[in-house]
Amino acid sequence: MLKTFRGGIHPPYNKDFTKHKPVERAKLPDRVIIPMSQHVGAPCEPIVKVGDLVKKGQKIGEAKAFVSAPIHASISGKVTAVEPKPHPGGGMVMSVVIESDGKDELFEGIKTPKPLAELTPDEIKNLIRESGIVGMGGAGFPTQVKLSPPPGKTIDTIIVNGAECEPYLTADHRLMVERPDDVVLGLEAIMKATGVKNGYIAIEENKPDAIEAIRKAIQAKDGIELVELATKYPQGGEKQLINAVTGREVPSGGLPMDVHVIVDNAGTCAAIANAIKTGMPLVERITTVTGTGVNEPKNLLIRVGTPFSEIIEQCGGFKGEVGKVIMGGPMMGLAQSVLDVPAVKGTSGILVLAKNDVNLSEQSPCIRCARCVDACPIHLLPTTLGKFAERGMWTEAEEYHALDCIECGCCAYVCAAHIPLTQLIRLAKNHIVASKKK
């Protein structure tokens, strides 16, 4: 029986654009813009200056806080700027700009580590930290931090998130089809680093080829199981995935570690495997470039820091009049106002929608149909929270657990009155968090 969670929705998945397209290595970019903040936590401090020559894999941003992750050059060349640049997550972020020398030379400090069997748990965690590995599903939480729970917190289960429930995106799907052994090796490394004996790889049923590839890859592996999930959004949300796989409920205000679980993305596992096999830090990733507004949708292996404009150009450019460009999927992605922003470690996709596919519906009064309540995977009252936000009632919004909202967009998607509930709840969350910092 397929496992799932209560609530959620079934939007059009539109994965046919790219789900059968093998991953292609993108052309070496002429220039990369590498932000010093590509993760949750403290930004890195640049350790290079204008005029420096750098090589691929060389550290260019130092992480000086526990919750942070170092940044590395994704190409070889010359540093031409160290200054704030537009970030796909919004705002201006200190960035290092590197003009390629066309050589793509590897930094001499990159050494192949010992095999996993010879690495100690602390050596694995240090390798993950020094490789700058973060959650690659979009959240960008530093992986080494996730693998280091505070005293008193015990972990007994690791779940690899292979759901990729966001419509349009197929980067993780193709990764699991083409590199299943890397996903499994990354999971084994996490299990060894944390001393956990139970590992699960959870995949939605709409990826049968990925399920089959992973099934073969774990045939001789002790303690690792494949879990087939129902196709439903947001099946890949951490709390929903934990509930579907283990039956456990992460408490309000809690984290997965509160129910003894760590969740890592399939792409994150593959990045860990790559670091173990080659010593290479995280400087490239698979990105799905898709949608009705791009000429040739693809799954591309791109260098971190490549401008969106260059990536889209490698997919034949825009097709007709463009309505919207989004980093990520249509449900949780971020709309972009300029194309000179770089792909970062969490850029799982670039979605280009044709103008005719972008519908701006007029908002009307709530009809109290409760569709948003049925759809909310966290079991919140979105319409009530929305009204609190409209009236500036931040205390009441907090009492109704606004901070538990994962901003999946289900409530806004099903709202018959086209009320931007997700945006209103996000506004409430921002006010609540800001008030706590005073």
Side-chain angles (χ1 to χ4, degrees):
M1 182 177 176
L2 298 171
K3 296 192 173 186
T4 191
F5 62 97
R6 185 166 68 86
I9 59 175
H10 296 277
Y13 284 96
N14 292 316
K15 292 178 182 282
D16 287 343
F17 286 103
T18 53
K19 71 178 184 181
H20 295 305
K21 294 193 174 181
V23 177
E24 295 180 27
R25 180 172 286 279
K27 290 188 294 187
L28 187 67
D30 295 329
R31 179 183 64 127
V32 291
I33 307 160
I34 304 182
M36 292 292 101
S37 181
Q38 302 184 39
H39 47 264
V40 171
C44 288
E45 293 184 14
I47 54 174
V48 292
K49 60 184 184 303
V50 173
D52 284 355
L53 300 177
V54 298
K55 294 183 179 179
K56 184 174 69 172
Q58 180 176 340
K59 187 186 292 185
I60 58 173
E62 190 69 74
K64 294 190 173 180
F66 177 65
V67 183
S68 188
I71 306 286
H72 303 78
S74 58
I75 60 174
S76 63
K78 185 175 184 178
V79 176
T80 57
V82 181
E83 59 189 24
K85 292 284 188 183
H87 190 283
M92 303 289 283
V93 172
M94 182 58 68
S95 303
V96 173
V97 180
I98 304 170
E99 299 288 343
S100 173
D101 59 11
K103 300 176 182 175
D104 203 28
E105 288 186 304
L106 186 66
F107 179 55
E108 296 82 358
I110 301 295
K111 307 292 182 187
T112 302
K114 294 183 288 187
L116 177 60
E118 299 176 19
L119 290 171
T120 67
D122 284 344
E123 286 174 333
I124 295 170
K125 291 177 190 176
N126 189 56
L127 176 63
I128 290 171
R129 176 179 173 78
E130 287 304 307
S131 298
I133 295 173
V134 302
M136 295 176 69
F141 197 84
T143 301
Q144 179 267 340
V145 177
K146 192 180 282 189
L147 304 188
S148 305
K153 297 289 186 182
T154 58
I155 304 297
D156 62 21
T157 301
I158 309 294
I159 301 174
V160 175
N161 185 353
E164 199 170 47
C165 59
E166 265 276 1
Y168 288 95
L169 303 186
T170 58
D172 288 347
H173 180 175
R174 292 309 310 177
L175 170 69
M176 292 186 288
V177 170
E178 298 176 34
R179 295 170 53 196
D181 292 334
D182 282 350
V183 176
V184 175
L185 178 60
L187 171 57
E188 290 180 303
I190 293 170
M191 292 170 68
K192 184 170 183 178
T194 54
V196 172
K197 304 298 181 188
N198 300 311
Y200 300 93
I201 301 176
I203 307 173
E204 284 187 336
E205 60 168 334
N206 64 352
K207 305 172 186 64
D209 46 357
I211 289 172
E212 187 57 28
I214 292 293
R215 193 189 307 281
K216 289 180 180 176
I218 64 172
Q219 274 182 344
K221 305 293 185 182
D222 292 331
I224 297 179
E225 295 181 32
L226 173 68
V227 178
E228 295 186 45
L229 303 166
T231 301
K232 184 166 64 170
Y233 179 85
Q235 189 70 260
E238 274 193 338
K239 294 178 180 179
Q240 291 67 49
L241 192 62
I242 290 170
N243 181 244
V245 174
T246 69
R248 302 173 191 174
E249 290 269 3
V250 178
S252 175
L255 297 169
M257 69 173 68
D258 293 319
V259 291
H260 317 295
V261 177
I262 290 173
V263 178
D264 274 305
N265 175 264
T268 306
C269 289
I272 292 171
N274 190 49
I276 290 172
K277 290 162 64 176
T278 68
M280 274 300 294
L282 178 51
V283 298
E284 62 184 14
R285 66 154 299 140
I286 302 171
T287 295
T288 301
V289 187
T290 184
T292 52
V294 65
N295 271 311
E296 191 179 355
K298 294 180 178 180
N299 292 297
L300 286 179
L301 182 62
I302 56 100
R303 302 293 176 93
V304 169
T306 307
F308 276 30
S309 54
E310 190 168 331
I311 295 172
I312 293 169
E313 195 59 34
Q314 289 191 47
C315 295
F318 290 134
K319 181 180 179 183
E321 194 170 0
V322 173
K324 190 170 283 190
V325 177
I326 299 170
M327 181 176 76
M331 299 301 296
M332 295 186 75
L334 298 170
Q336 302 298 308
S337 58
V338 296
L339 294 179
D340 198 25
V341 291
V344 294
K345 295 175 182 177
T347 304
S348 53
I350 298 174
L351 172 60
V352 184
L353 295 175
K355 188 173 183 178
N356 291 339
D357 292 323
V358 178
N359 299 317
L360 301 176
S361 302
E362 189 171 343
Q363 180 179 333
S364 56
C366 173
I367 60 173
R368 303 187 67 78
C369 64
R371 288 183 188 174
C372 59
V373 178
D374 292 337
C376 180
I378 302 293
H379 319 314
L380 300 176
L381 299 174
T383 187
T384 302
L385 290 168
K387 287 188 180 300
F388 287 152
E390 286 178 330
R391 297 168 184 173
M393 299 168 68
W394 315 125
T395 302
E396 289 80 359
E398 184 175 10
E399 290 172 354
Y400 275 68
H401 306 290
L403 292 179
D404 284 341
C405 173
I406 61 172
E407 303 180 20
C408 63
C410 287
C411 53
Y413 180 84
V414 299
C415 180
H418 307 298
I419 300 171
L421 291 166
T422 307
Q423 289 76 11
L424 287 170
I425 298 172
R426 183 181 297 146
L427 176 66
K429 289 173 66 178
N430 289 341
H431 276 276
I432 295 167
V433 171
S435 68
K436 290 179 180 295
K437 291 180 178 177
K438 290 181 180 177

